[in-house]
């Protein structure tokens, strides 16, 4: 008998798999974006970072994976915020409402980061919106008087909106839109030191 060649179109076969180890990922990154931050009961970036796995906050100092506080570096918009004499980093004092994203890197970071042994906290601040808005907040622990504590107050004032618009009242021909975002905040508190009281003692 004689066999004749014949072609036939078969159905599509799809092969899918799951990569168990990503060899290109040098470090685990935990990202917290603005919508998540706004739902958290926090007022500073330090508290946002302290809620991530592998990070602990003690005495307003950041410890990543058990490292010392001077082994973690805060990078705000690409700028390292660290006192190289004391090792303190004040990047965690930023208002949580003024940031767009917080990335916590806990090891194996690339060459763009230096002077860090335990972790990198990369903070991206937010930009102004196309509508004029404001936000005012005052948190205190001595409402009603008679409180014998530290009398702490935390104030936040934020303003945002468009600065110039194309074809606006200023008649400036600026392509696109220029916006602004202003964030003023401060914490006021008594200290451990004895102070002067109203009864003269």
């Amino acid at each position: 008998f004689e066999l004749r060649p014949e072609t036939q179109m078969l159905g599509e076969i799809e092969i899918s798999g799951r990569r168990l180890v990503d060899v290109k990922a040098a470090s685990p990154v935990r990202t917290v974006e603005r919508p998540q931050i706004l739902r958290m009961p926090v007022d500073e970036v330090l508290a946002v970072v302290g809620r991530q796995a592998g990070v602990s906050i003690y005495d307003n100092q950041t410890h990543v994976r058990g490292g010392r506080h001077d082994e973690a570096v805060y990078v705000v918009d690409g700028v390292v915020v660290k006192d190289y004499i004391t090792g303190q980093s004040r990047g965690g004092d930023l208002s949580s409402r003024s940031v767009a994203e917080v990335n916590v890197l806990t090891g194996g970071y690339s060459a763009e980061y230096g002077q860090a042994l335990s972790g990198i906290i990369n903070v991206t601040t937010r930009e102004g919106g196309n509508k004029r808005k404001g936000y005012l907040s005052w948190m205190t622990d001595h409402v009603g008087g008679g409180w014998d504590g530290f009398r702490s107050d935390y104030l936040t004032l934020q303003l945002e909106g468009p600065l110039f618009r194309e074809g606006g009242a200023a008649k400036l021909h600026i392509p696109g839109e220029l916006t602004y975002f202003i964030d003023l905040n401060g914490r006021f508190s008594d200290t451990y030191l004895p102070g002067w009281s109203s009864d003269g003692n």
Side-chain angles (χ1 to χ4, degrees):
F1 58 93
E2 182 181 357
L3 298 178
R4 290 177 296 181
E6 183 179 349
T7 60
Q8 184 177 2
M9 182 65 68
L10 301 177
E12 182 179 357
I13 300 176
E14 182 179 352
I15 300 175
S16 61
R18 182 170 58 96
R19 180 177 295 179
L20 298 178
V21 178
D22 189 358
V23 295
K24 294 183 179 180
S27 64
V29 180
R30 296 171 181 87
T31 302
V32 186
E33 297 180 347
R34 178 172 166 76
Q36 298 172 272
I37 295 174
L38 292 178
R39 291 194 297 265
M40 293 181 179
V42 297
D43 54 4
E44 293 180 341
V45 172
L46 186 68
V48 176
V49 175
R51 291 174 172 265
Q52 307 310 307
V55 181
S56 62
I57 304 297
Y58 177 74
D59 197 19
N60 288 332
Q61 296 176 349
T62 306
H63 301 270
V64 180
R65 298 193 309 171
R68 296 191 297 255
H69 71 277
D70 57 349
E71 295 177 350
V73 174
Y74 280 81
V75 180
V76 180
D77 290 336
V79 179
V80 176
V81 182
K82 183 175 183 179
D83 187 341
Y84 288 101
I85 297 177
T86 63
Q88 291 284 348
S89 182
R90 307 310 304 178
D93 295 339
L94 285 173
S95 171
S96 60
R97 294 184 57 89
S98 65
V99 300
E101 187 177 85
V102 177
N103 296 315
V104 180
L105 294 81
T106 57
Y109 14 86
S110 61
E112 65 179 304
Y113 302 109
Q115 304 296 326
L117 299 175
S118 62
I120 298 288
I121 295 92
N122 194 356
V123 180
T124 303
T125 58
R126 55 174 299 214
E127 299 178 356
N130 55 5
K131 294 182 180 179
R132 288 186 174 88
K133 294 188 292 186
Y135 175 82
L136 177 63
S137 172
W138 172 37
M139 291 183 288
T140 182
D141 66 350
H142 53 91
V143 177
W147 175 255
D148 192 19
F150 288 113
R151 301 178 62 87
S152 297
D153 295 280
Y154 185 73
L155 299 173
T156 301
L157 173 63
Q158 294 179 344
L159 300 171
E160 66 172 302
L163 192 59
F164 295 110
R165 290 186 178 180
E166 186 177 2
K171 301 300 182 185
L172 297 175
H173 298 287
I174 301 175
E177 191 172 76
L178 185 62
T179 62
Y180 65 90
F181 178 75
I182 302 172
D183 182 2
L184 302 173
N185 64 78
R187 186 180 298 278
F188 307 92
S189 176
D190 294 343
T191 66
Y192 291 93
L193 301 176
W196 179 79
S197 60
S198 59
D199 58 2
N201 296 330

